[in-house]
């Protein structure tokens, strides 16, 4: 039987920059968030994740120094050749390693942005890059209709790099379906989808199932709803987890893995204890009788994303 952790991925969004929106993160990280401290903590997580059986690693140009930290870890472990790496372009990190930055990232889905950011990704990750996503593609940014960007991405596809999109916001399902229709040279362009799905925000589920049926990979992100589906998070979710006899984060992982269309479920811990608890969720199952209670946790997508946009960086 495959190791349950083999269906998990490790994302560095919350550990490779000093500020992020996940609740509870500040207490776990403390005040010491200089570059070298977070580099060391990132390497500890990567070590622990690999030991636990995780083989998919997720970074992005906007995740502070995530690509740099990952590249350093790979260089320090030349014996590790069994991991697949995905990164993303389309946001720039502009926080300057400050907690009080007015803005931490800026979206730009132009061809110039792709050209610049892919060059930087290539310098750090080289031929280790396996998947390159458009970061938070939405119908409004125009990237799903931009033929020049599509042709540039097709060059990556034709060289063996899987091309995809990540999605955010209440129109995730629309973005997934529109991306599935994009073809360059008669072949599908986007064959990887990294989308938010969790019991509070399951609206993209049907579209993601369609993507998997079409042969694409589906990577589930924000399974913990930025800390809301974790110990100390939303009262209703924590109460349900308590009744089922497992921590809220493990219930969230088990619920995500129950989706047959999920290729990988991303974790985003900031320390090894949090990682260990998250990983343990892969061996859990959601009791059949709890399905209706999980479904009842769902919020309207517009309300969920409005609340997420209002979360403070800390």
């Amino acid at each position: 039987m495959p190791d349950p952790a083999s269906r998990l991925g490790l994302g560095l969004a919350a550990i490779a920059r000093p500020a992020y929106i996940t609740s509870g993160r500040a207490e776990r990280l403390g005040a010491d968030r200089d570059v070298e401290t977070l580099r060391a903590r990132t390497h500890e997580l990567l070590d622990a994740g690999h030991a636990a059986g995780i083989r998919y690693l997720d970074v992005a140009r906007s995740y502070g120094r995530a690509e740099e930290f990952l590249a350093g870890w790979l260089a320090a472990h030349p014996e590790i050749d069994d991991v697949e790496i995905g990164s993303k372009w389309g946001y720039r990190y502009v926080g300057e390693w400050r907690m009080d930055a007015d803005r931490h990232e800026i979206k730009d889905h132009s061809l110039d942005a792709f050209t610049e950011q892919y060059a930087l990704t290539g310098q750090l990750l080289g031929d280790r890059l396996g998947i390159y996503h458009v970061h938070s593609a939405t119908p409004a940014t125009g990237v799903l209709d931009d033929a020049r960007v599509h042709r540039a991405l097709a060059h990556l596809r034709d060289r063996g790099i899987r091309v995809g999109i990540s999605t955010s916001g209440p129109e995730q399902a629309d973005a997934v379906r529109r991306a599935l229709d994009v073809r360059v040279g008669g072949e599908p362009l986007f064959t990887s989808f990294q989308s938010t799905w969790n019991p509070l925000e399951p609206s993209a589920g049907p579209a993601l199932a369609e993507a998997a049926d079409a042969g694409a990979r589906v990577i589930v992100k924000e399974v913990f709803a930025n800390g809301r589906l974790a110990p100390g998070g939303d009262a209703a979710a924590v109460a349900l987890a308590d009744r089922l006899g497992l921590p809220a984060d493990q219930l969230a992982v088990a619920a995500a893995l129950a989706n047959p269309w999920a290729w990988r479920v991303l974790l985003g811990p900031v320390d090894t204890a949090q990682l260990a608890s998250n990983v343990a969720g892969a061996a859990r199952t959601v009791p059949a009788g709890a399905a209706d209670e999980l479904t009842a946790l769902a919020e309207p997508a517009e309300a969920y994303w409005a609340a997420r946009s209002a979360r403070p960086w800390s």
Side-chain angles (χ1 to χ4, degrees):
M1 179 178 294
D3 183 346
S6 67
R7 291 187 63 200
L8 301 176
L10 178 58
L12 304 186
I15 190 62
R17 51 188 167 182
Y20 192 51
I21 61 173
T22 300
S23 57
R25 177 178 179 273
E27 291 76 14
R28 286 185 172 273
L29 273 183
D32 189 2
R33 304 185 195 183
D34 63 84
V35 172
E36 293 310 315
T37 296
L38 292 193
R39 187 193 310 274
R41 294 187 68 147
T42 298
H43 287 193
E44 289 174 1
L45 280 169
L46 290 165
D47 286 341
H50 193 267
I54 295 174
R55 295 296 182 268
Y56 181 70
L57 307 175
D58 174 75
V59 292
R61 288 302 310 158
S62 64
Y63 294 170
R65 298 197 178 200
E67 289 185 340
E68 175 190 327
F69 291 173
L70 176 56
W73 180 78
L74 292 169
H77 295 282
E79 75 283 2
I80 293 178
D81 59 3
D82 59 350
V83 295
E84 185 166 5
I85 295 166
S87 191
K88 295 178 285 294
W89 72 274
Y91 271 96
R92 287 186 294 114
Y93 176 66
V94 294
E96 298 181 343
W97 216 260
R98 290 173 48 190
M99 295 291 295
D100 61 350
D102 291 334
R103 299 185 72 178
H104 295 272
E105 53 190 18
I106 295 175
K107 181 184 282 192
D108 183 351
H109 284 166
S110 68
L111 178 60
D112 287 344
F114 164 74
T115 302
E116 175 189 355
Q117 293 201 307
Y118 177 64
L120 295 169
T121 296
Q123 289 173 12
L124 289 167
L125 298 177
D127 60 6
R128 300 303 299 268
L129 181 69
I131 307 176
Y132 210 40
H133 293 108
V134 183
H135 200 162
S136 293
T138 67
T141 69
V143 72
L144 297 175
D145 302 306
D146 192 329
R148 294 197 309 156
V149 171
H150 297 171
R151 286 193 294 271
L153 290 171
H155 287 303
L156 303 190
R157 178 200 65 186
D158 296 344
R159 287 167 39 207
I161 297 174
R162 186 179 292 266
V163 173
I165 66 170
S166 76
T167 66
S168 296
E171 295 183 298
Q172 287 192 108
D174 187 24
V176 169
R177 291 183 172 118
R178 289 179 63 172
L180 282 171
D181 287 337
V182 175
R183 279 168 167 68
V184 178
E187 298 295 327
L189 178 62
F190 298 115
T191 58
S192 181
F193 294 88
Q194 182 174 312
S195 298
T196 295
W197 185 96
N198 59 62
L200 301 180
E201 208 318 47
S203 66
L208 296 173
E210 293 168 23
D213 286 344
R217 288 179 174 178
V218 175
I219 302 165
V220 179
K221 68 181 177 73
E222 298 190 0
V223 64
F224 308 115
N226 303 114
R228 295 177 62 189
L229 295 175
D234 280 20
V238 172
L240 174 57
D242 287 345
R243 287 198 300 277
L244 297 176
L246 69 165
D249 62 318
Q250 295 180 22
L251 175 61
V253 171
L257 287 173
N259 293 307
W261 41 259
W263 176 70
R264 295 290 182 271
V265 170
L266 281 183
L267 312 177
V270 297
D271 62 32
T272 54
Q274 190 176 38
L275 173 64
S277 181
N278 295 170
V279 169
R284 301 279 198 165
T285 56
V286 178
D292 289 343
E293 290 181 279
L294 269 177
T295 300
L297 294 175
E299 302 173 352
E302 292 79 4
Y304 175 92
W305 289 101
R308 185 189 182 282
S309 295
R311 294 176 69 86
W313 290 69
S314 64

